[in-house]
Amino acid sequence: MSNLAYQIVEELKQRILNGEIAPGERLPGENGLVEEFGVSRTVVREAVSRLQAAGLVETFQGRGSFVLEVPERTPGLRAVRSHSDVLELMDFRIGVESEAAGLAAVRRTAHQLKGIERALDDFRRIGDDPSRSVEADFAFHLKVAVASGNRFYGDLIADLGPMMIMLPRTRLDPAYEMSDPEHLTRVVHEHENIHAAIARADPEAARAATRVHLANTRERLR
């Protein structure tokens, strides 16, 4: 994501989460955003695409983009405002998802393992397309949580939704992503390590691989 698109995403995201643009309201039109931010239409479209991927807006042909409801029951995400908040979200995810992965390694069914594999394949194939990679990333983490066999893990991750992926991404320095072409390759490899540990029914390795993956994400945010 370009630096200019990042700035627009961050500004519009804050307006949405703060309630300045309420659910059901239309985002400023493309022309309005071009004028307000002094950027090209390409940059505006990239930013709106990222907001779509986060589940914050839905775009209708010929009508524009409309703000979606952020679920009231989403634990704490309405209060995520600052960089410090996002780091705390990552700490929370490390604890929850590491244990879920450990349980998945010993409880997953063959069908659930296939679901994790498909999610991993989708993430590999989509790559860094901002309009689709957030959903693919989230799907992988959700499949692992569901495979834990404890519905509370699956329900919690489902309630957090793609925003748990999107919020940290919007805090990444775009210059970092652009200067590090191996970033996506490393993230895919980290996902592969989680899948491999679950596939061979190794709970300690699954916990460790998940902790490494999420700790690396947290470190990239710093």
Side-chain angles (χ1 to χ4, degrees):
M1 179 168 59
S2 68
N3 187 48
L4 291 173
Y6 171 88
Q7 292 172 12
I8 297 172
V9 167
E10 186 66 14
E11 174 60 29
L12 293 178
K13 176 172 69 72
Q14 290 302 321
R15 292 182 195 177
I16 292 169
L17 295 179
N18 290 335
E20 294 176 39
I21 310 176
E25 288 188 7
R26 185 177 180 273
L27 278 185
E30 191 174 279
N31 290 339
L33 292 173
V34 165
E35 182 175 348
E36 178 181 354
F37 291 99
V39 297
S40 68
R41 291 180 185 275
T42 299
V43 171
V44 167
R45 289 168 185 163
E46 182 183 2
V48 172
S49 176
R50 184 60 71 100
L51 291 171
Q52 284 178 294
L56 288 176
V57 304
E58 185 170 359
T59 301
F60 298 91
Q61 187 69 32
R63 293 174 54 201
S65 298
F66 293 81
V67 174
L68 298 173
E69 180 72 46
V70 178
E72 289 287 351
R73 61 190 181 132
T74 299
L77 288 191
R78 282 187 176 273
V80 175
R81 298 286 183 267
S82 67
H83 193 79
S84 176
D85 289 338
V86 174
L87 292 177
E88 291 184 0
L89 171 62
M90 293 308 306
D91 289 338
F92 174 76
R93 286 184 59 196
I94 288 169
V96 170
E97 294 190 60
S98 296
E99 184 58 27
L103 291 173
V106 295
R107 296 181 178 178
R108 53 83 178 166
T109 65
H111 177 73
Q112 288 168 337
L113 182 60
K114 279 291 185 184
I116 295 170
E117 290 172 359
R118 283 194 297 270
L120 178 57
D121 288 341
D122 287 344
F123 188 57
R124 286 193 194 104
R125 185 173 62 254
I126 287 167
D128 203 26
D129 176 353
S131 66
R132 302 172 65 200
S133 61
V134 169
E135 288 285 354
D137 195 349
F138 171 70
F140 176 83
H141 288 271
L142 178 60
K143 293 289 187 183
V144 171
V146 169
S148 71
N150 182 322
R151 66 180 178 84
F152 290 102
Y153 283 109
D155 288 351
L156 175 60
I157 298 303
D159 284 351
L160 286 173
M163 283 295 291
M164 76 174 198
I165 305 294
M166 182 62 183
L167 284 168
R169 285 194 180 194
T170 62
R171 295 289 172 177
L172 274 176
D173 182 354
Y176 166 81
E177 290 187 282
M178 289 185 290
S179 66
D180 184 11
E182 298 303 315
H183 168 74
L184 179 64
T185 301
R186 281 202 302 275
V187 173
V188 169
H189 181 62
E190 289 165 6
H191 281 198
E192 289 171 340
N193 287 342
I194 296 169
H195 164 260
I198 293 173
R200 65 176 184 267
D202 186 337
E204 290 308 314
R207 290 187 184 96
T210 303
R211 183 172 293 276
V212 166
H213 168 51
L214 296 176
N216 284 347
T217 299
R218 191 187 192 284
E219 185 62 27
R220 287 188 283 266
L221 289 166
R222 295 179 61 190

